[in-house]
């Protein structure tokens, strides 16, 4: 751990990059995931098919392959963007597929009678989803979404493979200088574990606050 303290400024800077990537991609993945879920349960067959294809694509294609494709292939097609924003976008769209699956499981917990009641009150399909189904679904899947966010934190490390200087990339550079892999990577592992624990505790707190009493 002392070797990381000797490079504390660099570690904190890289950690800040990791946290920024996590926060932006996390918010983006939740927003996209909810929209995909709405599409999957919509009455429009084309939307359902597109949402299903989206989820299947991102669940079955490795994240590293998507990052490499976005960073190295898209510029050849004339789409050039900075490394970090590109990695954040890929992470958001990738994790959104898992958020969508979690939210869809929450949709299944909403009683059919509530939808029938909403129709009796004159709500259309989209109003029922927006005002009744999705809010309850989100309250039911706080912990699963928290688990997706923990996975997102770990997946930010893959951005190091395409040149983003985040925590894993920085500690690897420090190891090349100091040649103390056990101390350096154990310290990085503890940092990742601490972030995951904070997310887990926060998800548990939110879950208790918004729990639906049946």
């Amino acid at each position: 751990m002392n070797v990381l303290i000797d490079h504390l400024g660099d570690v904190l800077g890289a950690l800040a990059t990791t946290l920024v990537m996590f926060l932006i991609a996390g918010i983006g993945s939740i927003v996209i995931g909810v929209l995909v879920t709405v599409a999957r349960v919509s009455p429009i067959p084309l939307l359902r098919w597109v949402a299903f294809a989206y989820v299947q694509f991102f669940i079955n294609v490795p994240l590293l392959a998507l990052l490499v494709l976005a960073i190295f292939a898209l510029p050849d097609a004339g789409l050039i963007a900075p490394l970090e924003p590109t990695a954040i976008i890929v992470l958001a769209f990738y994790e959104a597929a898992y958020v969508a699956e979690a939210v869809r499981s929450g949709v299944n917990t909403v009683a059919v009678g509530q939808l029938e009641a909403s129709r009796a009150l004159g709500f259309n399909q989209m109003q029922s989803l927006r005002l009744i189904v999705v809010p309850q679904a989100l309250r039911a899947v706080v912990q699963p979404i928290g688990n997706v966010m923990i996975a997102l934190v770990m997946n930010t490390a893959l951005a190091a493979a395409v040149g983003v200087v985040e925590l894993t990339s920085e500690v690897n550079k420090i190891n090349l200088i100091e040649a103390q892999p056990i101390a350096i990577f154990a310290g990085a592992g503890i940092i990742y574990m601490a972030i995951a624990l904070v997310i887990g505790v926060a998800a548990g707190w939110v879950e208790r606050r918004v729990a639906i009493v049946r």
Side-chain angles (χ1 to χ4, degrees), residues 1-199:
M1 290 296 290
N2 288 336
V3 66
L4 290 181
I5 294 175
D6 293 338
H7 295 269
L8 186 60
D10 294 331
V11 172
L12 290 178
L15 176 59
T17 299
T18 292
L19 293 176
V20 168
M21 291 176 64
F22 159 69
L23 289 172
I24 298 176
I27 294 170
S29 67
I30 292 173
V31 172
I32 297 168
V34 170
L35 293 176
V36 171
T37 300
V38 170
R40 289 201 70 179
V41 299
S42 76
I44 304 173
L46 178 60
L47 283 180
R48 292 201 303 269
W49 185 88
V50 170
F52 174 78
Y54 173 95
V55 170
Q56 293 305 310
F57 174 80
F58 281 101
I59 284 180
N60 291 294
V61 176
L63 175 58
L64 184 57
L66 295 172
L67 286 167
V68 170
L69 182 66
I71 297 297
F72 298 109
L74 290 181
D76 290 340
L79 300 174
I80 301 175
L83 285 178
E84 189 177 324
T86 302
I88 289 171
I89 292 170
V90 173
L91 285 166
F93 277 93
Y94 179 81
E95 297 297 341
Y98 294 90
V99 172
E101 287 295 274
V103 177
R104 190 166 69 94
S105 69
V107 169
N108 294 332
T109 68
V110 180
V112 176
Q114 294 196 35
L115 291 176
E116 294 173 348
S118 68
R119 283 196 292 269
L121 292 171
F123 288 19
N124 61 35
Q125 183 79 15
M126 293 308 297
Q127 287 175 325
S128 297
L129 286 172
R130 180 169 58 89
L131 300 174
I132 298 173
V133 176
V134 171
Q136 291 190 71
L138 288 173
R139 292 172 69 181
V141 296
V142 171
Q143 198 62 58
I145 290 177
N147 293 338
V148 174
M149 294 300 103
I150 291 173
L152 170 58
V153 170
M154 305 308 164
N155 284 337
T156 59
L158 290 176
V162 292
V164 178
V165 183
E166 45 67 70
L167 183 58
T168 296
S169 174
E170 187 60 43
V171 297
N172 188 52
K173 287 168 58 179
I174 294 171
N175 180 58
L176 292 176
I177 297 171
E178 302 290 349
Q180 297 184 41
I182 295 177
I184 291 171
F185 287 104
I190 291 172
I191 294 173
Y192 279 112
M193 183 179 69
I195 297 172
L197 286 173
V198 169
I199 296 171

